[in-house]
Amino acid sequence: MRKILHADCDCFYAAVEMRDNPALRDVPLVIGGRAEQRGVVATCNYPARTYGIRSAMSMAHAKRLCPHLHRLSPDFEKYRQASNQVQDIFRELTPLIEPLSLDEAFLDVTHIERMQGSATWMAQWLKQEVQQRVGITISVGVAPNKFLAKIASDWQKPDGLYTITPDQISKFLDQLPITKLHGVGPATAKKLEAQGIHTCRELRTIELATLLDEFGKFGVRLHELARGIDERPVKVERERKSISVETTFDRDLPTMTVCREKITDLVTRLEERIARNQHPAINKLFVKIRFDDFSITTMETAGQAPALESFLPLFDTAWQRAERPVRLLGVGVRLVPEDAQRQLGLF
């Protein structure tokens, strides 16, 4: 049986700023772009959350919810330094670490013998060391697999520690809402709830064959998660699946012609980013558009050459789906999976 930790820094960007300026601890604080420049909330502290403010919310909306909101522009270099400090502490405990972002990671401590092999004691040690050395709090979930560990880390936030032992899995899942299951979005939840299924306990009553009919291969995943089954290992090296660039504009781009002019700059930036990643093998190209009504559309096609003449037809087709002013434009490439690259190398 594995012992997995999921460590998640609490409101990370805001936590670093409050560490450096304690006067910000008790005021509603957001990190993100300016409202007048179409900025969004990257993160916010807990006082701000009491007003209903959340990550990815437009800054203009956040300001309406809390007019006296304190906003700071992100300082990514400072956040990277803090993240590196946290990751260094993780590595003192185990080499089996799967970073998910600057502020969270999975750790496999199955074979760690320190602290009498207690994963809960290891989690307590992590929390203490991060607080003392980095000056921020982390929440840690302890469980036999990644799925449960991630849910556990969120169970008692902020500054939480929650352990799910193997003999507690069934009881824990009985009352767990299906909306907590990874991959269950609004559409899937609505479909399940229409059948009277709101918890994992209720989901376990549905036969696998029925889930396969209703949800295809995702039905297998639902069947497993409802029972706390997750065999995914902690992957020390995460495989990159795509490379992309995008821009949110201060003012909506009014016409197709103006948008096409912006695509040129985006493709140049994309080519530079691909070069920094040692020109990985590409198998698809895509364009992303967010219109002024916040609807999003993407268009992709098979291809290996991320050239301007390849992206423009994709944009034209995507734009014609709504023919509205454009708030955001993005271009990117999908990468050939590493195992497929290795197989190709054999030939």
Side-chain angles (χ1 to χ4, degrees), residues 240 243-245 268-277:
R240 186 161 195 167
I243 300 175
S244 63
V245 296
T268 299
R269 287 169 50 198
L270 177 64
E271 290 171 340
E272 293 171 350
R273 186 163 293 183
I274 291 171
R276 289 199 300 270
N277 284 272

Side-chain angles (χ1 to χ4, degrees), residues 168-334:
Q168 294 171 338
I169 292 175
S170 181
K171 183 178 180 181
F172 178 83
L173 289 174
D174 278 350
Q175 303 304 318
L176 187 73
I178 56 170
T179 51
K180 292 285 188 180
L181 300 182
H182 179 68
V184 175
T188 302
K190 185 176 180 180
K191 200 170 181 180
L192 288 167
E193 288 167 354
Q195 302 175 46
I197 300 169
H198 301 272
T199 66
C200 286
R201 183 178 186 176
E202 293 164 342
L203 181 57
R204 286 199 297 269
T205 66
I206 307 300
E207 295 289 337
L208 175 58
T210 303
L211 291 174
L212 286 170
D213 288 340
E214 291 279 343
F215 301 101
K217 63 181 182 181
F218 185 59
V220 176
R221 187 68 174 150
L222 288 173
H223 178 83
E224 292 176 342
L225 294 182
R227 291 160 175 77
I229 300 170
D230 181 12
E231 300 298 335
R232 295 174 301 156
V234 169
K235 297 177 66 175
V236 177
E237 293 184 7
R238 297 184 70 216
E239 181 179 355
R240 186 161 195 167
K241 297 181 179 180
S242 66
I243 300 175
S244 63
V245 296
E246 61 183 41
T247 297
T248 299
F249 301 101
D250 293 346
R251 295 183 179 179
D252 296 333
L253 305 183
T255 65
M256 185 179 186
T257 301
V258 174
C259 291
R260 285 176 124 253
E261 293 172 356
K262 298 295 184 182
I263 295 285
T264 303
D265 293 336
L266 287 169
V267 172
T268 299
R269 287 169 50 198
L270 177 64
E271 290 171 340
E272 293 171 350
R273 186 163 293 183
I274 291 171
R276 289 199 300 270
N277 284 272
Q278 287 82 48
H279 296 281
I282 296 167
N283 63 3
K284 289 184 179 180
L285 316 176
F286 67 89
V287 167
K288 172 184 174 182
I289 303 175
R290 177 179 288 133
F291 294 101
D292 63 338
D293 63 352
F294 285 86
S295 63
I296 296 175
T297 189
T298 59
M299 189 73 192
E300 67 178 49
T301 186
Q304 290 80 43
L308 179 63
E309 55 268 26
S310 301
F311 284 107
L312 286 175
L314 285 177
F315 165 76
D316 292 348
T317 302
W319 186 83
Q320 288 165 8
R321 290 173 173 172
E323 297 187 354
R324 300 179 62 91
V326 170
R327 175 186 176 87
L328 174 148
L329 273 178
V331 297
V333 296
R334 312 280 185 209

Side-chain angles (χ1 to χ4, degrees), residues 3-15:
K3 299 176 186 177
I4 306 297
L5 309 183
H6 179 258
D8 190 7
C9 300
D10 301 318
C11 57
F12 181 52
Y13 297 169

Side-chain angles (χ1 to χ4, degrees), residues 10-18 29 31 42-43 74 76 78-79 102-103:
D10 301 318
C11 57
F12 181 52
Y13 297 169
V16 175
E17 298 294 352
M18 291 187 294
L29 171 68
I31 312 300
T43 194
F76 290 112
K78 180 163 64 172
Y79 307 149
L102 284 178
D103 62 337

